[in-house]
Every structure is written in C-alpha cells, then in structure tokens.
Amino acid sequence: MLNRRDFLKSAGALATTSVFGQSSAYADASQARPSSAPGRTVVSLNKGWRFHEGDIAFPVIRGHGWTYANAKAGNASGAAAPGFDDSEWNSVTLPHDFASAQVPEQSANVAQGYRKRGIGWYRTLIRLDEADHGKHIELQLDGMATLGTVWFNGTQVAHTWSGYSSVYIDLTPFATYGDALNSLVVRVDADTMQGWWYEGAGIYRNTWLVKREQVHIATDGVFAHPVFADGQWTIPLEVTLYNIRKSAQRVQVESVLVDAAGKTVASFGAPADVGVLTRQVVTGSMRVAAPELWSLEERNLYSVRTRVLQDGRLLDEVTTRCGFRTQRFDPELGFFLNDRHVKLQGVCIHQDHAGVGVAVPYGLLDYRMRRLKELGVNAIRCSHNAQDKRFYELCDELGFLVMDENRVFNPSPEHVEELSWLVRCHRNHPSIILWSVFNEEPIQGTEQGREMVRRMVAAVRALDTSRPTTAAMNTGQFEPANAAQAVDVVGFNYQYQAYDAFHQAFPTVPMTSSEDVSAYQTRGAYVTDPEKHIFASYDDDASSWGTTHRVGWKAVAERPFVAGAFVWTGFDYHGEPSPHEWPSNSSFFGIMDLCGFAKDAFWLHQAQWRKEPVLRLAPHWNWAGKEGQPITVMALHNMDEVEVFLNGRSQGRQKGDIYEMNRWQVRYAPGKLSAVGYRGGKVVKRFEVETTGAPVALKLTPDRSLMRGDGLDAQPIQVEALDAQGRHVPLAQHQIVFKAEGGDIIGLGNGDPNDTSSEKGNTRALFNGLAQVIVQTREGSAGTFRLSASAAGLKSAVLDVEVRKAQPWAYQPTSAPVQVLDGWRSSPQSPTPVDPNLRPAGTDMNSWGWITPGARAKPAGQTGYMLYATDVYPFARVRKQGGILEFAEVTGPCQVFIDGRKAGEKTTGAPAPLRVAFPAGEARARLSVLCPLTAGQPHGLSGVVRLLSF
C-alpha cells in the first residue's frame, strides 16, 4: 500500500490541505479543553506547583556511599530530590512567566526588555490512582523558557534544548501508584537565550498528563492531511501505534472522516501487528468526493476519528481535524489557494503581550488573532519559533495562512528533532503553507549554509512533502553556493531592491518577502523627538535596514512574482527597543502596540488590504498652543478621491494614492477636522475627529461582554479618559488605580515603549489616552465580575461583566508538600536483635540492601531480626515545631528508633498503620526500624513512610 510520502511524490504534490478544529468564527478560546476520549484520559497539570525563583546549587558529593548512590537512578540530590523541602516555596499556577513580574532594570539585558530572567525551580507531587496502574503515562510540557531539566521520582527523565518546542516524556517505567506520591521537578534555565527579543522565563505554556491503554496511538501520531491529485481528493493516512505490553499485539485500526454536521464521509480500516516497545506506522487512504473546501473566507473543517480496537474492545481514539485545500507558489504569479490567486498580506509576530509576557491565556490569544483579522491580515509568520498549539487552531478557525518557523539553525540530532517535532505536531493544519528552517543566519550565503539547509529540509520532507520549505534570508541569495538553493520558496528579508534582479536571474524560482518594513511609530504621537524616544505616526521613520510601510508594500504589491509580504511586526513586543535603549524597553515596530491598540499603520494597512471602504485621518485634533500653525494631516484610505474639511471649510480634494496615501497642511484651529471619501464620484465614506475638552471621567470597555467562570477565561479591558461630552481624550496620561471583584487582575499595559513601571499589580498610567487591564475569572465563579477604575480629578468608572458557570478543565490530582522518606537500607538478617545505631560502612554497597517502602510484604525465610534504616533531613516546619512520623502500613511487629532512642512500637503482626512523634530541632536524624522475623510470616514496611508537620 502506498504511504503518504510516496503518494504525494507520485502526485507531484506541492499542493496541500490540513486541519484542526471546527468551531464558530471568532470562537471564545476558553472553550479549548483537554481532549479526553475512550481509552485515554488527558488532564491538565497546571495546578499544584511550587516555585522558587533563583538557582539552588546542587550539594557537593563526597564520600564513598554518597558518590555511589548519586550515580544511581532515583537518587537525584538537592532541589531535584523527591524529599527536598519545598514547603515554604510560593504556589503558582501554570502557564507562568516569572520574568513578566520583573520591573525593568537598566542593568539587565536591553534585548530582553531590561527584565531579569535567571533560573527557576518548579516542584509538584502527583498522585496516580491504582486504576492508572498498567497504563501508559505521558507528561507533555508545551513550552519552557528556555532550557529545561526534568526529574521524576529522583531520576532525570528529560533535558530540553528549545524554549519553544513541546517535550513528551514517558513516565510509565518510573511511576508509582496509590499512596506513593510521585515527585515531579523542573529546573528552567532562562539565562540561556535563543533569541534577541523578550523570551520570558519559566513553564510558560500548558502542561498535561496523558494516560492511555498499553497499545495506543502515539502523540502527534495521526497524519491525515488531504491532497488533490489526478482530479481526486484523497486523505493519505499515517497512524503511529505504540505497544508497552510484554508481547506483540494484533489490533484493528479504523478511521472515519466526519463533516461539520457529523455525517460520515469516508472510512478506512486495516489490521496491524505492533511489536513489543516498538512504534508501528499503519498507512492507508480515504477518497472523498466533492468536499467543502477550506479557504480564508470559508473555514470548512472536517474531523478524522481514528480508533484502535482489539477483539472488539476500544483501546484508543484520536480526533484529528483537517481541511481540504490546494496551494501552490508560482514563480511568475505568486501564491494560489484553491487555484485562486491570493496576495499574502502578512505580519510577523512574537508571542508576548502587555502584562502577561509569554504566558498568554487563550482568551487573550483569541483577542490578538481577531485584531489581526480586523487589520486585514491573511498570513502570519511565526517569528522565529513555534507558537502555542492553540494559535494554529485559531488560524484554522479564523482563516489565516501560516509560515511556521524553526528556531535553531542546526542539523545536529537534538535540533533536527526539534524541527521534526514542529512538523509532526502542526502538519495537519490547513492554515500552514510554508515550513521555514531559519531566519537571517550569517552563513546563509555559503556552502556550509546550503549543506545545513539540505539536511534540515530532508528532515521536513521525511514528514511532509505537501508544503514547500523556505528560509528567511537577509542576504546571500546571489552567492554561488547559498541556502536559497536548498529550499522551495526563497524568502527575502529587507531586500525589496533585489526582487527584480533575483527574478530575472532565477525566473523559475518562487519567492516571497519573508520579512520587511521595520518602521517606527509611537501610538498617538505625531512629532518625532529622538531625545524622548518618540516617533511620529506618519510612516516617515524607519530603521536603517528597513523602509516605511508604504514603500515596503508597494514594492510587493506591484510585483506579481513576489507572493506577498510579512511586515515586521503585527504587534509591538517586549525587548529589542531599536533604535533606542533605556528607558525604552519594548519595540517600536508594531502595526499595533503591546496592548493591541492600533497605531496609524493599522489604518494604513487596513486601507491597502481590505476591500470595503476605509477612511481615517491622522492626527488627533488637540493642538492647544499651535493655533494658526500648519499641522500635517494624513488620510489613510482606499478611496478614488479624498477631501478634507476643517470646521466645514474645504482644505482641498486630492486624487487618492493607495500606496503613498495623501497629505494636507492644515493650519490648526480648534473644532472639527473631517474627511469625505469618493469612489466613482460618489461619497462612500466619512470620518471626523474633534478637539476635545479636558478629561472628566474614565471609561472601561471589555473585549467581550461574557466570560466563563472556569478559572481560565481571560480578556483585555480598555481604559480611557473622556471629556464632558463623552469624547475620547487622546492626550490623557492619568495614573489609574483598579479594583477587581469576582475575578483577578493578571496584567496591566498601556503601549508605551518607554514605560518602566510594573506590569503587575493594580495601577497603571494612561498613555496617550489609553491603558489596558487583563482580567481572569476564578474557577467555579458565576454572576458578575466587577472592575472599577479611579484617578485623581476624574469620575470613576465601573464595569460589570457577566460570568457564566462553566466546566473547568480536568486536572491531575496533586499533593501539598509532604516529606516522603526514602533512601532506606536493610541490614543482613541476624539471629539476634540488631543495634539500631548500626549502619553499613561507606564502601559497603552489597551486604545491606535497598528497599522502597510500600512494596508488598514478603514472608521471612527464617526466624531472626532485620533492621531498616535511613537518614532523615526534616522539613523546616518539622524542625521548628516537631511532627508526626507516619508509617502508612507496617506488616509484622517492629520497634522504631530515632537516633538510637526508642520512639514507638507495633506489637501486632497484621498489617496496620503506625504513627510516632518526631521531635523538633533535629536537622538530621537516623531513623531505624527493627523487625523481629518469624519464618514464613510476612514482615516489613508495606506502606509509604512520611514525616508530617503539625
């Protein structure tokens, strides 16, 4: 049977389609939930974490015994040890960006927005139910900034090399069940940087625990991406199975394609033999007649439901959403979607937002995506890394085309695996049209660069041949040997002057602008002042390497062979405050600011990118002290003609220029500045702006009038000052104090790149008339969320938002800090009582055994005595107050000794718990349990042992 890659090669495919999620347009992102299904359970692991900011040095290993133990599985030391005292650490809920809570400091890294990052430790205790025993248990960490090391029950189980890739960790061989809690520890090193922008710090994306049957579908294991070839739509299927049973298993794989109405459209079935601890790829195909196509306007999405059965029993089920569409890049005419020409009207984006850094809640991500849609964006470049998984679902649902970009340019095995993950994880999305393997690498114009790209492109094509590859190059395309020779579509960064030369030299090579513009604007400002780090919003200021928005788009729009543009950037972002430094701490490049408030570049591009009439005037009309002086007035529009009026008097009618826009010099007088737009000689659009009075009141405007009380839903609320007539005052800079009831404030912003105040807390200044509060509901809440805003001299504002009761995510049970005692040794059996102070010699690794409390008690081989012992380092609270030594279960009689002193006793033989007082003041104690043995009778520490504080 033909597999997907062979099928696509035989079809000559550079056409495509893909997948994920049928939901209504502009769906509330809070609806996204863990996707449990028959045979598998997916639960969130975002709760129950304890966090320490700053590194904790590992202890220096000394001595024979300690050195020997340190080299063994399960014996991690320091803060990675299961028994480490984290009881006084702060509790946090993920996603968590600890850098976002930092106040900018001039001594910190300018590129990271002057926010200190550093190292953070996360710890939690997980209780796996006995019903989970025998299942495949997988930990999924969606994103950590930047490098992560993960320990589970004292064993290092992963080290991640990317701040943007997910990591999937099989915990099954290390897991314990029932009362034996599992220790999960993550150390995140954010001192290591992978970018030159704000990257955040910590576990900043979601974390999951996935529990599956022993034979199951592997994570990202279904590839169901429709293709069109020879007049026929087909879904070539690849289903990757995994088997942890102790013998090979025969199963049945079944897939059905379901449309939005729930009707089955096509099906596939095949048997599969899955070896022991091996992955087996099952291939097949489904033919589909006349499907509804996915496009930018009609986001028709289907679901592929894949099941694994054995003797009629359902083992696993995965639903993969997909879309039918074709794509191609033509070297003469650009990009085509479903054989219809589409000019890529794109932006580059980073992933952070004001107030929350990179820990962006789904509701806020939804807001950002809708803002881009309103702008007229139809394409997004993920610069320069993978985004949150929800981002790709929203692109499918809202209708965006995506250039998905790899972070680290390196074909070494660990970094190729990161690239492979990106493709495996995202390849079902119909929104993705390009795989980008790098951005602006110094060796891109060399043979070494070409050879590196060849290997990375091969890794992409091993997983997906339906989409072309690209690389974002800012030089080198004309060198004899260069990276452009190894990709399918050549990307140009800031080289609009070279478009014609490259097309003339290589007329059969498709090309696109992968990054351009890098112009500067400060929202609401109209006079450039270098000393104050302010840029006017007339699109006249640009970086030395870039150009203005108008010049950049004109160069692309007038050349059909350039597929489109990706403007740098859609939003401002923390860090990289070029060309300035302190106190500037975020970029000036955005079409929108850090809060998603529109700069004038927003209306400029909206006029160029949207078909409906657009007309907007810049600037505001509050220019007290400049009466009679000329003010530059700019019309941002897509009209045939525009006429500007001041207080009803015409200032001139001009023929429209969609690329340069139009300007007038108008002598300032207070009143009303207005514009009329004409098409075909008829008035089709009007706009006006008035001189306002002094601010007298505040106003709060939510993004949405309804929120879900699931503890997850979040949204931005706009704050502004109004004059006595209710008009927005564009120059207001008041300090605002906020109060929330029935929910929480999780971040603040105002879009000012030069503001160094905290983005947390309850106060923020307006910047040029606007600020933003990001609020989040509480789990189990319903009724009303109330936000109030007050400022000196202004009437306060109160906003009530309806909160509806909603089902929270399913969460993995975790435990509060509890000291589980490990490191137990068992003495050789003795015919006489063993001295409780006895311990093995430092070089003796053999005569004393190792035991794990909680194992089933075994009958004694002969009558005698045995000593179980360990060293205890009590948690701080126990050292201060004393505590209780809790044996969950002891089988047989025993005596308990603390530092050789008898502290408790059990005289019965039947399994039973035992509790013993533990004294305060002990920094280290020797705990010994002496058990008399009777031949044939069970004995031992058959339950876990804990040290509890009062």
Side-chain angles (χ1 to χ4, degrees):
M1 183 176 291
L2 212 61
N3 68 24
R4 158 179 290 278
R5 287 178 283 275
D6 291 337
F7 179 96
L8 293 173
K9 290 173 185 175
S10 68
L14 204 71
T16 172
T17 53
S18 224
V19 17
F20 236 99
Q22 181 76 351
S23 64
S24 61
Y26 310 140
D28 180 353
S30 302
Q31 294 177 350
R33 303 189 180 283
S35 181
S36 294
R40 67 169 54 199
T41 302
V42 181
V43 289
S44 170
L45 195 50
N46 284 351
K47 290 185 178 180
W49 290 88
R50 292 169 291 282
F51 171 70
H52 174 83
E53 187 169 351
D55 203 8
I56 299 174
F58 284 92
V60 178
I61 307 299
R62 293 188 174 91
H64 289 289
W66 194 0
T67 304
Y68 182 85
N70 178 70
K72 303 301 179 182
N75 277 1
S77 60
F84 183 81
D85 183 4
D86 61 12
S87 59
E88 297 184 343
W89 288 12
N90 292 328
S91 295
V92 297
T93 297
L94 307 181
H96 180 240
D97 174 6
F98 65 83
S100 70
Q102 306 295 326
V103 177
E105 296 182 16
Q106 191 170 359
S107 60
N109 189 333
V110 56
Q112 294 288 336
Y114 293 106
R115 286 164 174 82
K116 291 184 178 179
R117 300 174 72 215
I119 292 171
W121 286 82
Y122 297 82
R123 292 176 53 91
T124 190
L125 292 171
I126 300 171
R127 186 187 187 280
L128 295 173
D129 194 89
E130 287 290 353
D132 295 328
H133 205 165
K135 293 184 178 179
H136 181 269
I137 311 295
E138 183 175 85
L139 172 66
Q140 298 182 356
L141 296 158
D142 280 354
M144 296 181 286
T146 298
L147 306 184
T149 307
V150 184
W151 292 266
F152 190 70
N153 288 335
T155 295
Q156 183 177 313
V157 293
H159 188 93
T160 66
W161 302 101
S162 171
Y164 302 96
S165 301
S166 296
V167 58
Y168 310 139
I169 306 169
D170 183 1
L171 302 180
T172 314
F174 313 99
T176 60
Y177 304 87
D179 290 335
L181 298 175
N182 295 272
S183 167
L184 175 59
V185 183
V186 182
R187 177 184 183 270
V188 182
D189 175 3
D191 276 334
T192 301
M193 291 179 289
Q194 291 186 323
W196 48 96
W197 58 89
Y198 176 86
E199 297 185 274
I203 307 178
Y204 71 93
R205 290 182 184 161
N206 292 301
T207 301
W208 315 94
L209 210 61
V210 182
K211 308 168 187 179
R212 290 174 282 208
E213 295 294 331
Q214 294 182 340
V215 182
H216 59 268
I217 300 169
T219 301
D220 301 330
V222 176
F223 191 15
H225 182 59
V227 297
F228 185 75
D230 300 326
Q232 176 68 53
W233 281 103
T234 305
I235 301 181
L237 282 169
E238 291 184 8
V239 181
T240 303
L241 305 177
Y242 187 57
N243 172 26
I244 65 168
R245 292 184 185 173
K246 295 179 175 63
S247 61
Q249 300 293 311
R250 166 155 282 211
V251 296
Q252 180 75 14
V253 176
E254 296 179 354
S255 288
V256 295
L257 178 68
V258 180
D259 65 16
K263 179 183 177 181
T264 297
V265 177
S267 62
F268 162 80
D273 294 311
V274 192
V276 177
L277 297 176
T278 60
R279 291 175 179 258
Q280 177 66 42
V281 179
V282 180
T283 61
S285 65
M286 293 187 287
R287 290 196 170 187
V288 183
E292 296 289 330
L293 299 187
W294 182 93
S295 68
L296 298 176
E297 300 78 23
E298 300 291 334
R299 282 82 66 185
N300 296 304
L301 293 161
Y302 289 72
S303 296
V304 176
R305 297 176 183 169
T306 303
R307 307 199 306 169
V308 181
L309 302 100
Q310 189 174 53
D311 299 326
R313 175 174 170 256
L314 179 61
L315 300 181
D316 199 5
E317 180 177 316
V318 170
T319 298
T320 307
R321 285 161 49 184
C322 67
F324 290 79
R325 59 136 183 90
T326 64
Q327 70 165 77
R328 60 186 170 90
F329 282 87
D330 186 283
E332 290 291 341
L333 299 175
F335 179 74
F336 288 79
L337 182 70
N338 300 328
D339 287 328
R340 184 174 67 87
H341 180 260
V342 176
K343 199 75 168 184
L344 301 180
Q345 300 166 177
V347 293
C348 304
I349 62 170
H350 285 311
Q351 58 183 350
D352 61 308
H353 190 89
V356 296
V358 294
V360 179
Y362 283 173
L364 187 56
L365 177 60
D366 184 65
Y367 159 80
R368 288 168 60 87
M369 301 293 279
R370 286 186 284 108
R371 290 294 286 153
L372 293 175
K373 198 72 178 179
E374 183 181 355
L375 168 60
V377 169
N378 65 18
I380 301 174
R381 176 185 175 215
C382 301
S383 50
H384 306 287
N385 50 263
Q387 300 279 318
D388 188 279
K389 293 175 181 177
R390 178 62 182 159
F391 163 85
Y392 301 94
E393 295 175 359
L394 286 171
C395 288
D396 294 343
E397 294 166 7
L398 300 178
F400 291 102
L401 303 170
V402 177
M403 179 195 295
D404 209 9
E405 189 158 276
N406 175 59
R407 171 73 294 272
V408 179
F409 182 44
N410 190 332
S412 62
E414 60 266 32
H415 295 302
V416 165
E417 176 51 35
E418 293 161 10
L419 174 60
S420 297
W421 165 83
L422 181 140
V423 177
R424 280 196 308 269
C425 185
H426 302 158
R427 59 187 175 173
N428 287 316
H429 292 281
S431 53
I432 294 178
I433 60 169
L434 283 166
W435 303 115
S436 175
V437 297
F438 74 70
N439 172 72
E440 296 182 1
E441 291 293 333
I443 60 173
Q444 60 198 351
T446 67
E447 182 181 2
Q448 293 95 322
R450 183 185 64 187
E451 291 305 304
M452 291 170 69
V453 170
R454 284 185 61 227
R455 285 152 178 79
M456 297 176 77
V457 166
V460 172
R461 290 176 178 163
L463 296 166
D464 179 26
T465 58
S466 67
R467 301 171 180 87
T469 58
T470 189
M473 300 177 65
N474 59 345
T475 187
Q477 291 96 331
F478 294 94
E479 297 298 326
N482 70 81
Q485 297 164 346
V487 296
D488 302 304
V489 177
V490 179
F492 283 75
N493 286 16
Y494 308 107
Q495 299 179 76
Y496 67 96
Q497 304 95 330
Y499 294 160
D500 294 333
F502 185 86
H503 181 61
Q504 183 176 1
F506 307 101
T508 62
V509 178
M511 59 187 292
T512 188
S513 166
S514 44
E515 181 176 325
D516 58 27
V517 178
S518 276
Y520 302 130
Q521 288 189 11
T522 302
R523 177 184 55 77
Y526 296 93
V527 177
T528 296
D529 188 337
E531 291 187 1
K532 293 183 178 180
H533 298 190
I534 294 173
F535 293 100
S537 295
Y538 292 113
D539 193 35
D540 293 329
D541 296 300
S543 62
S544 59
W545 61 88
T547 188
T548 64
H549 292 275
R550 292 164 296 145
V551 170
W553 178 246
K554 183 178 182 180
V556 170
E558 292 186 334
R559 290 167 172 81
F561 55 85
V562 180
F566 291 90
V567 175
W568 191 266
T569 51
F571 301 90
D572 277 340
Y573 51 94
H574 295 89
E576 201 176 16
S578 172
H580 299 302
E581 296 192 356
W582 185 266
S584 302
N585 60 89
S586 70
S587 77
F588 296 85
F589 299 117
I591 295 172
M592 290 175 277
D593 68 15
L594 266 171
C595 299
F597 297 142
K599 302 182 187 181
D600 286 277
F602 184 98
W603 313 110
L604 189 156
H605 281 293
Q606 190 180 66
Q608 294 172 332
W609 291 349
R610 298 187 64 165
K611 295 179 181 179
E612 61 268 28
V614 174
L615 176 60
R616 183 88 175 190
L617 290 181
H620 57 74
W621 207 239
N622 283 27
W623 296 96
K626 292 197 174 185
E627 286 78 5
Q629 298 181 34
I631 303 293
T632 299
V633 173
M634 186 176 188
L636 310 165
H637 68 94
N638 52 15
M639 303 288 108
D640 294 340
E641 294 179 294
V642 177
E643 187 172 8
V644 170
F645 298 84
L646 177 60
N647 295 327
R649 184 175 179 179
S650 176
Q651 304 297 302
R653 181 166 172 169
Q654 297 183 17
K655 182 180 179 181
D657 189 330
I658 190 68
Y659 295 125
E660 286 298 323
M661 302 297 157
N662 296 80
R663 301 190 188 207
W664 291 257
Q665 293 298 314
V666 179
R667 294 189 178 276
Y668 177 67
K672 182 182 294 185
L673 181 72
S674 59
V676 175
Y678 304 88
R679 283 184 177 175
K682 295 182 180 180
V683 176
V684 295
K685 192 75 172 178
R686 297 179 183 271
F687 178 84
E688 63 183 35
V689 59
E690 291 183 280
T691 306
T692 71
V696 298
L698 294 173
K699 180 182 179 182
L700 297 170
T701 305
D703 176 51
R704 291 179 277 120
S705 60
L706 174 68
M707 297 184 73
R708 299 172 179 275
D710 54 9
L712 300 161
D713 195 6
Q715 68 157 319
I717 294 175
Q718 177 178 291
V719 190
E720 61 183 320
L722 306 179
D723 71 1
Q725 297 184 45
R727 297 172 298 192
H728 169 77
V729 181
L731 299 179
Q733 312 286 344
H734 298 69
Q735 189 74 30
I736 316 295
V737 177
F738 304 97
K739 181 181 178 181
E741 301 174 53
D744 298 298
I745 296 171
I746 62 172
L748 304 162
N750 60 17
D752 181 1
N754 303 313
D755 192 334
T756 59
S757 58
S758 175
E759 294 187 0
K760 302 295 185 181
N762 71 336
T763 182
R764 190 72 169 176
L766 295 176
F767 172 64
N768 290 340
L770 294 173
Q772 187 176 81
V773 186
I774 299 150
V775 300
Q776 190 166 48
T777 61
R778 295 170 184 162
E779 187 174 321
S781 63
T784 300
F785 167 81
R786 170 165 289 184
L787 181 71
S788 60
S790 60
L794 302 182
K795 182 181 178 181
S796 298
V798 177
L799 171 70
D800 287 336
V801 176
E802 181 184 356
V803 178
R804 291 185 184 174
K805 188 175 181 180
Q807 183 69 33
W809 282 354
Y811 290 96
Q812 170 61 36
T814 58
S815 171
V818 58
Q819 186 170 5
V820 178
L821 303 186
D822 55 11
W824 290 84
R825 303 290 300 272
S826 59
S827 72
Q829 186 171 327
S830 169
T832 59
V834 182
D835 182 355
N837 292 309
L838 187 66
R839 65 176 64 218
T843 56
D844 182 0
M845 312 303 171
N846 298 289
S847 64
W848 284 62
W850 280 266
I851 70 160
T852 301
R856 179 180 298 179
K858 298 179 181 179
Q862 58 187 16
T863 300
Y865 294 85
M866 183 171 289
L867 187 72
Y868 301 104
T870 188
D871 288 325
V872 180
Y873 300 86
F875 283 4
R877 292 177 184 174
V878 175
R879 294 198 304 270
K880 296 173 185 176
Q881 306 169 11
I884 296 295
L885 188 61
E886 180 185 74
F887 296 82
E889 183 181 276
V890 179
T891 300
C894 71
Q895 293 179 328
V896 178
F897 298 84
I898 299 174
D899 287 333
R901 298 185 300 274
K902 186 176 177 181
E905 183 175 16
K906 176 176 178 285
T907 58
T908 59
L914 175 64
R915 291 168 67 90
V916 175
F918 193 93
E922 299 277 1
R924 175 182 176 181
R926 183 69 173 176
L927 176 60
S928 306
V929 181
L930 180 62
C931 298
L933 311 180
T934 301
Q937 296 299 311
H939 70 93
L941 306 180
S942 49
V944 297
V945 184
R946 301 186 179 100
L947 183 54
L948 309 176
S949 61
F950 288 120

